[in-house]
Amino acid sequence: MSTTLQDDGTRTLREGHAPTLKVRKRPLNRRATLALSIASPVVLLLLWEVASRSGMVDARFFPAPSGVFLALAKRLTGSELWGHIGISLSRIVIGFLIGAVPAVILGLAMGLSAVIRAIVQPLVDATFPVPKLAILPLFILIFGLGEGSKYMVLAVAVFFIVLVNTAAGVRAIDTTQLEVGASFGASRTIMFFYIALPGAVPFILSGLKLGMNVALLVIVAVEFTGASSGIGYLIWNSWQVFKVEQMYVGLVVTALFGFGFAGLFALLERVSMPWKRR
Amino acid sequence: MSAIPGSPPRASSDVKVDIRGLEVEFQMRGSKFKALDGIDLTIRRGEFLVIVGPSGCGKTTLLRVLAGLEEASGGDVRIFDDDNGQRPESAMVFQEHGVFPWMTVRENIAFGLKASGMPRKARRDIADEYIERVGLTPFAKAYPHQLSGGMRQRVSVARAFATDAQMLLMDEPFAALDEQTKLVLQELLLRIWQETSKTVLYVTHSLDEALVLGDRIVVMSGRPGAVKDVIDVAAVFQRPRKVAEVRSDERYGSMFGRIWGQLRQEDEAAS
């Protein structure tokens, strides 16, 4: 667009003279985005396949992806891998729930009550930095070598991250919204379930997501040493007997766990926050 | 904040709130500062009282004391119940962010009723009535992010009126809206107020809004806040009013000038 000053002082705007910008501002269309995001991992896997088969990389450490997927497919027809998957999943879910449920409740209470915050906050600050895996031996002492100690380490790891996020979520609620509740004389129950909880849901969900990532991390580490079953055990055991392909199977399965839970939380987000702008 | 039981009725029955020597102090980084200093004010039953004043003069603080969100540090506030205290004492309309994003329009409007413990069915009926009154029927199930700023304030206003509270406390409810939307909502507010005859306390920094809406205008002086003047608008502009008619009335200018003169004195005193 250009502007010309006329003799009579008026100006006319002419189109078609704007400098052409080389910057591509519009996002890619959906199809192109999809094609590119499918192509990139496929190309990577192909390169890997070629590199492994041609001997450019050591096939003992980097077996060809086709071999890994064949091994995975073969094991999926048997019962052993499913057994490992089942036991790991049950540990994750149970440990996660033991940690997350009280964390959400206590986190909401901390967010709402200055008294509870004053009591709990120093305890959290003091114990939060302790690496959660470091307490595994202690938990084995207390809960034994069985499932109990595994649940509890997971629970503790999940607990802190969910607690901190939930409390922050309540604190992040607009003061006005809490005051609306107070000005209408809302009871504590109503403040809790209709303002604090839904208001903190975005933070709670991101806390739960982080908690689930931590749970995956911790379960694999716990199963490396203190277990004779589970995906972590499968990976560790494969290393010990030098079954590299089987180790990769374990890695692929943990990745699938990650995808699965991410999908689950995306669904949970959509269901629990129909009010979110998308 | 409530009428003290057994206290002798100090005022006749057309007094809704009697404020004597109200003081409010805040703690700011260890030091105290006075937001309100010796406010004397009588609010009449059923009147539309507008409070104007320079920013920081404590007009919002006064409203918040009446809403029970702030505590008085001195003086006396008496609120006289309309009828045996069956209805909620007050309901507040906030400037912005007062609507819950996680509730639909209907749930938002029913919230005050829910807080007062009304059963579900009755709540819904009343909410729907007010949704219609503010013209949001097609949006009953919409979430606030799907609404414009003006529509969100309709929700806020409807929520407050739906509680059938004796007194409505409005803190610059339309300040963030554009002029046209503001005008439409002012008309809407006047209409609903006339239909329900509630006591309204309305804080604004807009002199125009004060003149258009109010029965009386309380002009406050700043830091610490005190009542400087009370102007009777109802005597000049008769009810029912049309916003546009008030603005084009020849007396509008002189009233505007009178209030502006006082606020300007304030500004000059402060600077």
Side-chain angles (χ1 to χ4, degrees), chain B residues 28-222:
Chain B
M28 283 250 291
R29 292 191 213 97
S31 65
K32 282 183 181 171
F33 98 96
K34 234 173 206 172
L36 293 177
D37 190 12
I39 299 278
D40 291 323
L41 184 64
T42 305
I43 301 168
R44 296 177 193 147
R45 184 159 312 217
E47 83 169 326
F48 199 123
L49 186 75
V50 182
I51 305 172
V52 294
S55 334
C57 72
K59 49 193 193 291
T60 294
T61 307
L62 175 58
L63 208 66
R64 291 169 59 87
V65 168
L66 291 173
L69 295 173
E70 219 79 71
E71 277 195 45
S73 42
D76 189 17
V77 176
R78 284 159 196 254
I79 300 176
F80 300 91
D81 270 329
D82 281 6
D83 36 44
N84 318 323
Q86 300 292 310
R87 293 152 58 202
E89 196 171 83
S90 67
M92 189 147 173
V93 180
F94 294 81
Q95 181 177 345
E96 271 183 300
H97 312 299
V99 171
F100 301 118
W102 50 86
M103 293 185 194
T104 62
V105 166
R106 183 184 281 129
E107 287 164 348
N108 260 296
I109 293 176
F111 177 79
L113 302 170
K114 186 181 184 67
S116 67
M118 181 182 284
R120 194 185 182 84
K121 174 81 176 73
R123 232 162 49 207
R124 201 187 150 102
D125 289 346
I126 294 178
D128 281 345
E129 181 197 329
Y130 279 88
I131 290 172
E132 200 185 332
R133 278 191 166 186
V134 297
L136 287 177
T137 306
F139 300 95
K141 287 180 183 165
Y143 285 100
H145 80 260
Q146 299 165 306
L147 307 178
S148 66
M151 288 158 101
R152 282 200 285 271
Q153 285 312 87
R154 283 172 194 253
V155 174
S156 258
V157 169
R159 181 173 59 193
F161 273 96
T163 60
D164 195 24
Q166 304 171 34
M167 190 162 54
L168 285 163
L169 307 169
M170 312 185 91
D171 187 9
E172 307 200 28
F174 307 144
L177 304 178
D178 63 76
E179 280 305 313
Q180 287 94 319
T181 311
K182 196 184 286 185
L183 197 108
V184 171
L185 286 190
Q186 286 167 345
E187 296 269 10
L188 179 84
L189 174 61
L190 281 182
R191 205 186 66 227
I192 300 182
W193 172 70
Q194 228 124 25
E195 287 165 5
T196 54
S197 63
K198 292 178 189 305
T199 311
V200 174
L201 207 63
Y202 192 104
V203 165
T204 181
H205 60 255
S206 157
L207 303 188
D208 168 70
E209 195 166 55
L211 284 166
V212 159
L213 296 176
D215 284 325
R216 288 192 302 155
I217 299 174
V218 174
V219 182
M220 283 180 68
S221 60

Side-chain angles (χ1 to χ4, degrees), chain B residues 206-254:
Chain B
S206 157
L207 303 188
D208 168 70
E209 195 166 55
L211 284 166
V212 159
L213 296 176
D215 284 325
R216 288 192 302 155
I217 299 174
V218 174
V219 182
M220 283 180 68
S221 60
R223 291 176 201 275
V227 174
K228 192 174 169 82
D229 193 9
V230 180
I231 294 156
D232 195 348
V233 188
V236 181
F237 303 126
Q238 306 299 320
R239 305 274 186 192
R241 284 185 203 161
K242 285 276 175 210
V243 172
E245 283 169 18
V246 173
R247 282 189 180 146
S248 55
D249 194 295
E250 56 193 9
R251 288 161 298 181
Y252 174 90
S254 62

